[in-house]
Amino acid sequence: MSQASWAAEIARKRLEEPLPRRWAHTQGVAQRARCLAPVLGEDADLLEAAAWLHDVGYSPDLVVTGFHPLDGARYLRDVEHADRRLCGLVAHHSCAANEAEERGLLAVLTDEFEPADELLSDALTYCDMTTTPDGRPIAVEHRLSEIQSRYGEGHLVARSIRRSSPHIVRSVRTIERVKRAAAFS
């Protein structure tokens, strides 16, 4: 069984019934990750697994800190005994460090989980931040705007997304360039 198949089953069990909209988003993110397989080579399965599991920490029975990247990564590490690179991708996805700092959890996050290499991190950010909550493709600028309006101006998620936006847009543009270059080679 591939790492992605294993991850898809965990995500389905944790998200499908309690959080159907989050499950739809997750399926869309995983689909985008599969599309990057030709440019990621041996890391394609790892990226798809991370795409399936990036929001597993929202599962009601996994919430401990209320910070889904940390709760999800801890579950994967402690219960599922997942690969450390996979746990790092989940823990640090989509500029999670900024939200961790807002929550007073940055030291915990960085002490427990090592960030993934930059290309994989950019790829997961691309997949997450170009997928709507309902699982459809969306431009990164519209996705960032949607997150801001969903949470509201003063919410810590809105503040951290605002701080993260330049990096998120850079990550998305990097992957778009990588995809274009691969298409022409």
Side-chain angles (χ1 to χ4, degrees), residues 91-147:
H92 291 277
H93 78 273
S94 301
C95 298
N98 285 333
E99 186 175 336
E101 187 173 22
E102 288 276 342
R103 292 176 178 272
L105 293 170
L106 182 59
V108 173
L109 182 72
T110 57
D111 286 349
E112 290 188 35
F113 298 100
E114 186 177 329
D117 70 62
E118 194 170 4
L119 182 62
L120 276 173
S121 180
D122 285 347
L124 185 55
T125 297
Y126 166 85
C127 295
D128 186 23
M129 291 295 161
T130 60
T131 304
T132 67
D134 297 316
R136 295 183 315 270
I138 189 172
V140 65
E141 295 82 5
H142 295 296
R143 174 78 161 120
L144 293 168
S145 178
E146 177 275 321
I147 294 168

